[in-house]
Amino acid sequence: MTDAPVVLDVEDLTKHFPVRKGFLGRTVAQVRAVDGVSLHIRQGETLGLVGESGSGKSTVGKSVLRLLDPTGGRIHLHGEDITQVSGEALRDARRKMQMIFQDPYASLNPRLTIGDIIMEPLENFEKFSRTQRRERASDLLDRVGLRHEALKRYPHEFSGGQRQRVGVARALALNPSLIVADEPVSALDVSVQAQVLNLLVRLQREFNLAYLFISHDLGVVEHISHRVAVMYLGQLVEVADKETLFTNAQHPYTEALLSAVPIPDPTRKRKRIILPGDVPSPINPPSGCRFHTRCPYAEPRCKAEIPAMRELSPGHSVGCNLR
Ligand code: SF4
């Protein structure tokens, strides 16, 4: 996998949202949703991006897809800089990147048949005849484990898991190389989650897809990821391959997240680390290490020194002054 070509390369990505006030809508502050995030994903690889709600992980996903314009940094797709592209170049980039949404109920148009939903991206991007589009939609349904008859039915006739399969089929319609999946199973019953995750793994192998898999649930991320990046308050704090992260996490925030993941063995117990307080506001993040207000190991210097990401071993980077 380390030899596979890099599909997505993000350097120092920043996304700030202005906070406006008053009649004239003056900018009075900035929500620093993402601040200096760098990551890459290779062909056939899944990078899990985890963090609490408000950590900025979904903003990273939307910025990568250029659904949001980055404030700073660079996004390369297959080596091409797509940070500022527009018009035809942006359409071309979007064809190669697709998204699977969190809510399979809200993300499908209830007035369209499943066939029309899957064929919609083809109409927008490719010059296929209606017959060819139907054949493609039928083939995609088959690949996601739904029957051909589903083409003529409507979203409300399907369960949550089946709808998410339709969402996956739609995402595959244009043969993308990168899929950003934002909490794709968190709205599903636990019994259905594993089926959809297994489907994503199978399709990744079949199409050599790169996944940016965004989730707050480390258990889900462990199931599907090759590498994991942990985010806190707009910044990455730890990146490692899955085995290293789950057995040898070095950042105190990762330790706390891991302590909440249940162990399937009833004879073993993990000591739960409860972090004090809530995630601070990204409008005015804490000085120095942004985690210092909640970190059990914080020292006075953590308030002043901004920890840089340091590589502790090949592929394992941590942003903590004490590591
Ligand atoms: Fe905790 Fe300090 Fe490390 Fe931040 S730099 S994670 S506050 S020990």
PDB file of all heavy atoms in Angstrom, residues 138-164:
ATOM      1  N   SER A 138     -28.352  -0.246 -13.294  1.00  0.00           N
ATOM      2  CA  SER A 138     -28.701  -1.620 -12.950  1.00  0.00           C
ATOM      3  C   SER A 138     -27.461  -2.376 -12.470  1.00  0.00           C
ATOM      4  O   SER A 138     -27.494  -3.107 -11.477  1.00  0.00           O
ATOM      5  CB  SER A 138     -29.317  -2.281 -14.191  1.00  0.00           C
ATOM      6  OG  SER A 138     -29.620  -3.599 -13.929  1.00  0.00           O
ATOM      7  N   ASP A 139     -26.347  -2.181 -13.174  1.00  0.00           N
ATOM      8  CA  ASP A 139     -25.085  -2.830 -12.788  1.00  0.00           C
ATOM      9  C   ASP A 139     -24.635  -2.354 -11.391  1.00  0.00           C
ATOM     10  O   ASP A 139     -24.212  -3.158 -10.552  1.00  0.00           O
ATOM     11  CB  ASP A 139     -24.017  -2.488 -13.839  1.00  0.00           C
ATOM     12  CG  ASP A 139     -22.661  -3.034 -13.453  1.00  0.00           C
ATOM     13  OD1 ASP A 139     -22.588  -4.240 -13.148  1.00  0.00           O
ATOM     14  OD2 ASP A 139     -21.673  -2.269 -13.431  1.00  0.00           O
ATOM     15  N   LEU A 140     -24.769  -1.050 -11.149  1.00  0.00           N
ATOM     16  CA  LEU A 140     -24.351  -0.512  -9.838  1.00  0.00           C
ATOM     17  C   LEU A 140     -25.218  -1.066  -8.713  1.00  0.00           C
ATOM     18  O   LEU A 140     -24.712  -1.385  -7.631  1.00  0.00           O
ATOM     19  CB  LEU A 140     -24.414   1.027  -9.857  1.00  0.00           C
ATOM     20  CG  LEU A 140     -23.290   1.699 -10.656  1.00  0.00           C
ATOM     21  CD1 LEU A 140     -23.599   3.165 -10.899  1.00  0.00           C
ATOM     22  CD2 LEU A 140     -21.955   1.553  -9.934  1.00  0.00           C
ATOM     23  N   LEU A 141     -26.534  -1.185  -8.977  1.00  0.00           N
ATOM     24  CA  LEU A 141     -27.421  -1.757  -7.957  1.00  0.00           C
ATOM     25  C   LEU A 141     -26.977  -3.169  -7.602  1.00  0.00           C
ATOM     26  O   LEU A 141     -26.943  -3.558  -6.435  1.00  0.00           O
ATOM     27  CB  LEU A 141     -28.865  -1.789  -8.462  1.00  0.00           C
ATOM     28  CG  LEU A 141     -29.687  -0.529  -8.307  1.00  0.00           C
ATOM     29  CD1 LEU A 141     -31.109  -0.784  -8.762  1.00  0.00           C
ATOM     30  CD2 LEU A 141     -29.690  -0.032  -6.857  1.00  0.00           C
ATOM     31  N   ASP A 142     -26.623  -3.913  -8.624  1.00  0.00           N
ATOM     32  CA  ASP A 142     -26.159  -5.287  -8.422  1.00  0.00           C
ATOM     33  C   ASP A 142     -24.895  -5.291  -7.554  1.00  0.00           C
ATOM     34  O   ASP A 142     -24.768  -6.083  -6.621  1.00  0.00           O
ATOM     35  CB  ASP A 142     -25.889  -5.887  -9.807  1.00  0.00           C
ATOM     36  CG  ASP A 142     -25.567  -7.348  -9.720  1.00  0.00           C
ATOM     37  OD1 ASP A 142     -26.291  -8.047  -8.994  1.00  0.00           O
ATOM     38  OD2 ASP A 142     -24.580  -7.779 -10.346  1.00  0.00           O
ATOM     39  N   ARG A 143     -23.994  -4.377  -7.832  1.00  0.00           N
ATOM     40  CA  ARG A 143     -22.728  -4.340  -7.094  1.00  0.00           C
ATOM     41  C   ARG A 143     -22.917  -3.960  -5.624  1.00  0.00           C
ATOM     42  O   ARG A 143     -22.110  -4.326  -4.778  1.00  0.00           O
ATOM     43  CB  ARG A 143     -21.754  -3.355  -7.744  1.00  0.00           C
ATOM     44  CG  ARG A 143     -21.149  -3.913  -9.016  1.00  0.00           C
ATOM     45  CD  ARG A 143     -20.289  -2.876  -9.679  1.00  0.00           C
ATOM     46  NE  ARG A 143     -19.899  -3.290 -11.000  1.00  0.00           N
ATOM     47  CZ  ARG A 143     -18.790  -3.964 -11.284  1.00  0.00           C
ATOM     48  NH1 ARG A 143     -17.970  -4.307 -10.319  1.00  0.00           N
ATOM     49  NH2 ARG A 143     -18.497  -4.290 -12.517  1.00  0.00           N
ATOM     50  N   VAL A 144     -23.973  -3.193  -5.324  1.00  0.00           N
ATOM     51  CA  VAL A 144     -24.193  -2.829  -3.913  1.00  0.00           C
ATOM     52  C   VAL A 144     -25.200  -3.761  -3.242  1.00  0.00           C
ATOM     53  O   VAL A 144     -25.640  -3.525  -2.130  1.00  0.00           O
ATOM     54  CB  VAL A 144     -24.651  -1.355  -3.752  1.00  0.00           C
ATOM     55  CG1 VAL A 144     -23.611  -0.402  -4.302  1.00  0.00           C
ATOM     56  CG2 VAL A 144     -26.015  -1.107  -4.399  1.00  0.00           C
ATOM     57  N   GLY A 145     -25.562  -4.845  -3.942  1.00  0.00           N
ATOM     58  CA  GLY A 145     -26.387  -5.871  -3.309  1.00  0.00           C
ATOM     59  C   GLY A 145     -27.874  -5.584  -3.336  1.00  0.00           C
ATOM     60  O   GLY A 145     -28.611  -6.100  -2.493  1.00  0.00           O
ATOM     61  N   LEU A 146     -28.352  -4.771  -4.303  1.00  0.00           N
ATOM     62  CA  LEU A 146     -29.798  -4.542  -4.442  1.00  0.00           C
ATOM     63  C   LEU A 146     -30.276  -5.129  -5.758  1.00  0.00           C
ATOM     64  O   LEU A 146     -29.516  -5.239  -6.721  1.00  0.00           O
ATOM     65  CB  LEU A 146     -30.108  -3.035  -4.398  1.00  0.00           C
ATOM     66  CG  LEU A 146     -29.868  -2.347  -3.048  1.00  0.00           C
ATOM     67  CD1 LEU A 146     -30.076  -0.843  -3.185  1.00  0.00           C
ATOM     68  CD2 LEU A 146     -30.772  -2.892  -1.953  1.00  0.00           C
ATOM     69  N   ARG A 147     -31.564  -5.487  -5.784  1.00  0.00           N
ATOM     70  CA  ARG A 147     -32.095  -6.142  -6.979  1.00  0.00           C
ATOM     71  C   ARG A 147     -32.440  -5.114  -8.055  1.00  0.00           C
ATOM     72  O   ARG A 147     -32.755  -3.964  -7.758  1.00  0.00           O
ATOM     73  CB  ARG A 147     -33.334  -6.951  -6.606  1.00  0.00           C
ATOM     74  CG  ARG A 147     -33.004  -8.083  -5.647  1.00  0.00           C
ATOM     75  CD  ARG A 147     -34.252  -8.566  -4.978  1.00  0.00           C
ATOM     76  NE  ARG A 147     -35.111  -9.249  -5.923  1.00  0.00           N
ATOM     77  CZ  ARG A 147     -35.103 -10.552  -6.131  1.00  0.00           C
ATOM     78  NH1 ARG A 147     -34.302 -11.312  -5.430  1.00  0.00           N
ATOM     79  NH2 ARG A 147     -35.905 -11.089  -7.000  1.00  0.00           N
ATOM     80  N   HIS A 148     -32.421  -5.585  -9.276  1.00  0.00           N
ATOM     81  CA  HIS A 148     -32.683  -4.752 -10.447  1.00  0.00           C
ATOM     82  C   HIS A 148     -34.053  -4.039 -10.336  1.00  0.00           C
ATOM     83  O   HIS A 148     -34.211  -2.888 -10.750  1.00  0.00           O
ATOM     84  CB  HIS A 148     -32.627  -5.659 -11.684  1.00  0.00           C
ATOM     85  CG  HIS A 148     -33.102  -5.022 -12.928  1.00  0.00           C
ATOM     86  ND1 HIS A 148     -32.286  -4.224 -13.693  1.00  0.00           N
ATOM     87  CD2 HIS A 148     -34.321  -5.030 -13.529  1.00  0.00           C
ATOM     88  CE1 HIS A 148     -32.986  -3.784 -14.731  1.00  0.00           C
ATOM     89  NE2 HIS A 148     -34.207  -4.251 -14.651  1.00  0.00           N
ATOM     90  N   GLU A 149     -35.041  -4.731  -9.702  1.00  0.00           N
ATOM     91  CA  GLU A 149     -36.398  -4.162  -9.587  1.00  0.00           C
ATOM     92  C   GLU A 149     -36.407  -2.835  -8.825  1.00  0.00           C
ATOM     93  O   GLU A 149     -37.345  -2.040  -8.959  1.00  0.00           O
ATOM     94  CB  GLU A 149     -37.353  -5.129  -8.864  1.00  0.00           C
ATOM     95  CG  GLU A 149     -37.692  -6.413  -9.612  1.00  0.00           C
ATOM     96  CD  GLU A 149     -36.550  -7.413  -9.584  1.00  0.00           C
ATOM     97  OE1 GLU A 149     -36.028  -7.698  -8.501  1.00  0.00           O
ATOM     98  OE2 GLU A 149     -36.166  -7.878 -10.658  1.00  0.00           O
ATOM     99  N   ALA A 150     -35.383  -2.608  -8.021  1.00  0.00           N
ATOM    100  CA  ALA A 150     -35.328  -1.382  -7.206  1.00  0.00           C
ATOM    101  C   ALA A 150     -35.297  -0.118  -8.069  1.00  0.00           C
ATOM    102  O   ALA A 150     -35.676   0.963  -7.610  1.00  0.00           O
ATOM    103  CB  ALA A 150     -34.101  -1.413  -6.300  1.00  0.00           C
ATOM    104  N   LEU A 151     -34.876  -0.257  -9.321  1.00  0.00           N
ATOM    105  CA  LEU A 151     -34.742   0.915 -10.203  1.00  0.00           C
ATOM    106  C   LEU A 151     -36.021   1.743 -10.262  1.00  0.00           C
ATOM    107  O   LEU A 151     -35.974   2.972 -10.322  1.00  0.00           O
ATOM    108  CB  LEU A 151     -34.391   0.463 -11.623  1.00  0.00           C
ATOM    109  CG  LEU A 151     -32.938   0.068 -11.893  1.00  0.00           C
ATOM    110  CD1 LEU A 151     -32.808  -0.477 -13.305  1.00  0.00           C
ATOM    111  CD2 LEU A 151     -32.010   1.245 -11.690  1.00  0.00           C
ATOM    112  N   LYS A 152     -37.171   1.073 -10.248  1.00  0.00           N
ATOM    113  CA  LYS A 152     -38.440   1.791 -10.445  1.00  0.00           C
ATOM    114  C   LYS A 152     -39.097   2.180  -9.128  1.00  0.00           C
ATOM    115  O   LYS A 152     -40.191   2.746  -9.130  1.00  0.00           O
ATOM    116  CB  LYS A 152     -39.402   0.909 -11.239  1.00  0.00           C
ATOM    117  CG  LYS A 152     -38.967   0.729 -12.677  1.00  0.00           C
ATOM    118  CD  LYS A 152     -40.097   0.198 -13.520  1.00  0.00           C
ATOM    119  CE  LYS A 152     -39.659   0.087 -14.956  1.00  0.00           C
ATOM    120  NZ  LYS A 152     -39.868  -1.229 -15.515  1.00  0.00           N
ATOM    121  N   ARG A 153     -38.474   1.861  -8.024  1.00  0.00           N
ATOM    122  CA  ARG A 153     -39.104   2.154  -6.737  1.00  0.00           C
ATOM    123  C   ARG A 153     -38.563   3.465  -6.155  1.00  0.00           C
ATOM    124  O   ARG A 153     -37.610   4.044  -6.659  1.00  0.00           O
ATOM    125  CB  ARG A 153     -38.895   0.974  -5.792  1.00  0.00           C
ATOM    126  CG  ARG A 153     -39.718  -0.230  -6.287  1.00  0.00           C
ATOM    127  CD  ARG A 153     -39.314  -1.518  -5.635  1.00  0.00           C
ATOM    128  NE  ARG A 153     -39.488  -1.481  -4.184  1.00  0.00           N
ATOM    129  CZ  ARG A 153     -39.021  -2.417  -3.373  1.00  0.00           C
ATOM    130  NH1 ARG A 153     -38.364  -3.440  -3.856  1.00  0.00           N
ATOM    131  NH2 ARG A 153     -39.216  -2.315  -2.084  1.00  0.00           N
ATOM    132  N   TYR A 154     -39.204   3.902  -5.050  1.00  0.00           N
ATOM    133  CA  TYR A 154     -38.863   5.200  -4.450  1.00  0.00           C
ATOM    134  C   TYR A 154     -38.150   4.998  -3.105  1.00  0.00           C
ATOM    135  O   TYR A 154     -38.342   3.946  -2.450  1.00  0.00           O
ATOM    136  CB  TYR A 154     -40.136   6.029  -4.261  1.00  0.00           C
ATOM    137  CG  TYR A 154     -40.683   6.541  -5.570  1.00  0.00           C
ATOM    138  CD1 TYR A 154     -41.525   5.753  -6.349  1.00  0.00           C
ATOM    139  CD2 TYR A 154     -40.299   7.793  -6.057  1.00  0.00           C
ATOM    140  CE1 TYR A 154     -41.996   6.204  -7.573  1.00  0.00           C
ATOM    141  CE2 TYR A 154     -40.767   8.248  -7.285  1.00  0.00           C
ATOM    142  CZ  TYR A 154     -41.614   7.456  -8.036  1.00  0.00           C
ATOM    143  OH  TYR A 154     -42.057   7.903  -9.252  1.00  0.00           O
ATOM    144  N   PRO A 155     -37.365   6.002  -2.675  1.00  0.00           N
ATOM    145  CA  PRO A 155     -36.567   5.832  -1.459  1.00  0.00           C
ATOM    146  C   PRO A 155     -37.372   5.383  -0.234  1.00  0.00           C
ATOM    147  O   PRO A 155     -36.875   4.584   0.568  1.00  0.00           O
ATOM    148  CB  PRO A 155     -35.958   7.229  -1.243  1.00  0.00           C
ATOM    149  CG  PRO A 155     -35.865   7.808  -2.599  1.00  0.00           C
ATOM    150  CD  PRO A 155     -37.044   7.278  -3.361  1.00  0.00           C
ATOM    151  N   HIS A 156     -38.644   5.886  -0.083  1.00  0.00           N
ATOM    152  CA  HIS A 156     -39.382   5.551   1.145  1.00  0.00           C
ATOM    153  C   HIS A 156     -39.720   4.060   1.229  1.00  0.00           C
ATOM    154  O   HIS A 156     -40.103   3.563   2.285  1.00  0.00           O
ATOM    155  CB  HIS A 156     -40.667   6.391   1.249  1.00  0.00           C
ATOM    156  CG  HIS A 156     -41.742   5.978   0.280  1.00  0.00           C
ATOM    157  ND1 HIS A 156     -41.884   6.574  -0.957  1.00  0.00           N
ATOM    158  CD2 HIS A 156     -42.697   5.027   0.348  1.00  0.00           C
ATOM    159  CE1 HIS A 156     -42.893   6.001  -1.604  1.00  0.00           C
ATOM    160  NE2 HIS A 156     -43.406   5.056  -0.830  1.00  0.00           N
ATOM    161  N   GLU A 157     -39.556   3.336   0.118  1.00  0.00           N
ATOM    162  CA  GLU A 157     -39.868   1.899   0.136  1.00  0.00           C
ATOM    163  C   GLU A 157     -38.703   1.059   0.662  1.00  0.00           C
ATOM    164  O   GLU A 157     -38.796  -0.165   0.708  1.00  0.00           O
ATOM    165  CB  GLU A 157     -40.226   1.438  -1.287  1.00  0.00           C
ATOM    166  CG  GLU A 157     -41.443   2.136  -1.873  1.00  0.00           C
ATOM    167  CD  GLU A 157     -41.690   1.723  -3.309  1.00  0.00           C
ATOM    168  OE1 GLU A 157     -41.940   0.550  -3.565  1.00  0.00           O
ATOM    169  OE2 GLU A 157     -41.614   2.620  -4.189  1.00  0.00           O
ATOM    170  N   PHE A 158     -37.612   1.731   1.053  1.00  0.00           N
ATOM    171  CA  PHE A 158     -36.411   0.991   1.459  1.00  0.00           C
ATOM    172  C   PHE A 158     -36.042   1.279   2.917  1.00  0.00           C
ATOM    173  O   PHE A 158     -36.371   2.338   3.461  1.00  0.00           O
ATOM    174  CB  PHE A 158     -35.227   1.373   0.560  1.00  0.00           C
ATOM    175  CG  PHE A 158     -35.401   0.920  -0.853  1.00  0.00           C
ATOM    176  CD1 PHE A 158     -36.068   1.723  -1.766  1.00  0.00           C
ATOM    177  CD2 PHE A 158     -34.941  -0.319  -1.258  1.00  0.00           C
ATOM    178  CE1 PHE A 158     -36.260   1.300  -3.060  1.00  0.00           C
ATOM    179  CE2 PHE A 158     -35.129  -0.747  -2.555  1.00  0.00           C
ATOM    180  CZ  PHE A 158     -35.789   0.057  -3.458  1.00  0.00           C
ATOM    181  N   SER A 159     -35.314   0.340   3.507  1.00  0.00           N
ATOM    182  CA  SER A 159     -34.813   0.531   4.878  1.00  0.00           C
ATOM    183  C   SER A 159     -33.605   1.473   4.844  1.00  0.00           C
ATOM    184  O   SER A 159     -33.073   1.777   3.759  1.00  0.00           O
ATOM    185  CB  SER A 159     -34.386  -0.814   5.454  1.00  0.00           C
ATOM    186  OG  SER A 159     -33.250  -1.288   4.736  1.00  0.00           O
ATOM    187  N   GLY A 160     -33.161   1.903   6.025  1.00  0.00           N
ATOM    188  CA  GLY A 160     -31.999   2.800   6.107  1.00  0.00           C
ATOM    189  C   GLY A 160     -30.760   2.192   5.463  1.00  0.00           C
ATOM    190  O   GLY A 160     -30.035   2.856   4.721  1.00  0.00           O
ATOM    191  N   GLY A 161     -30.513   0.917   5.742  1.00  0.00           N
ATOM    192  CA  GLY A 161     -29.329   0.254   5.176  1.00  0.00           C
ATOM    193  C   GLY A 161     -29.413   0.165   3.664  1.00  0.00           C
ATOM    194  O   GLY A 161     -28.424   0.390   2.959  1.00  0.00           O
ATOM    195  N   GLN A 162     -30.608  -0.131   3.146  1.00  0.00           N
ATOM    196  CA  GLN A 162     -30.779  -0.221   1.683  1.00  0.00           C
ATOM    197  C   GLN A 162     -30.599   1.151   1.042  1.00  0.00           C
ATOM    198  O   GLN A 162     -30.000   1.285  -0.017  1.00  0.00           O
ATOM    199  CB  GLN A 162     -32.161  -0.784   1.350  1.00  0.00           C
ATOM    200  CG  GLN A 162     -32.289  -2.260   1.662  1.00  0.00           C
ATOM    201  CD  GLN A 162     -33.724  -2.736   1.526  1.00  0.00           C
ATOM    202  OE1 GLN A 162     -34.674  -2.028   1.859  1.00  0.00           O
ATOM    203  NE2 GLN A 162     -33.887  -3.961   1.050  1.00  0.00           N
ATOM    204  N   ARG A 163     -31.117   2.179   1.720  1.00  0.00           N
ATOM    205  CA  ARG A 163     -30.952   3.538   1.162  1.00  0.00           C
ATOM    206  C   ARG A 163     -29.472   3.918   1.120  1.00  0.00           C
ATOM    207  O   ARG A 163     -29.033   4.576   0.187  1.00  0.00           O
ATOM    208  CB  ARG A 163     -31.676   4.555   2.032  1.00  0.00           C
ATOM    209  CG  ARG A 163     -33.160   4.507   1.890  1.00  0.00           C
ATOM    210  CD  ARG A 163     -33.726   5.652   2.659  1.00  0.00           C
ATOM    211  NE  ARG A 163     -35.072   5.345   3.080  1.00  0.00           N
ATOM    212  CZ  ARG A 163     -35.973   6.258   3.345  1.00  0.00           C
ATOM    213  NH1 ARG A 163     -35.667   7.524   3.251  1.00  0.00           N
ATOM    214  NH2 ARG A 163     -37.174   5.917   3.723  1.00  0.00           N
ATOM    215  N   GLN A 164     -28.740   3.517   2.163  1.00  0.00           N
ATOM    216  CA  GLN A 164     -27.322   3.871   2.139  1.00  0.00           C
ATOM    217  C   GLN A 164     -26.618   3.118   1.006  1.00  0.00           C
ATOM    218  O   GLN A 164     -25.686   3.643   0.397  1.00  0.00           O
ATOM    219  CB  GLN A 164     -26.669   3.593   3.501  1.00  0.00           C
ATOM    220  CG  GLN A 164     -25.346   4.288   3.718  1.00  0.00           C
ATOM    221  CD  GLN A 164     -25.380   5.793   3.499  1.00  0.00           C
ATOM    222  OE1 GLN A 164     -25.704   6.281   2.410  1.00  0.00           O
ATOM    223  NE2 GLN A 164     -25.045   6.557   4.519  1.00  0.00           N
TER     224      GLN A 164
END
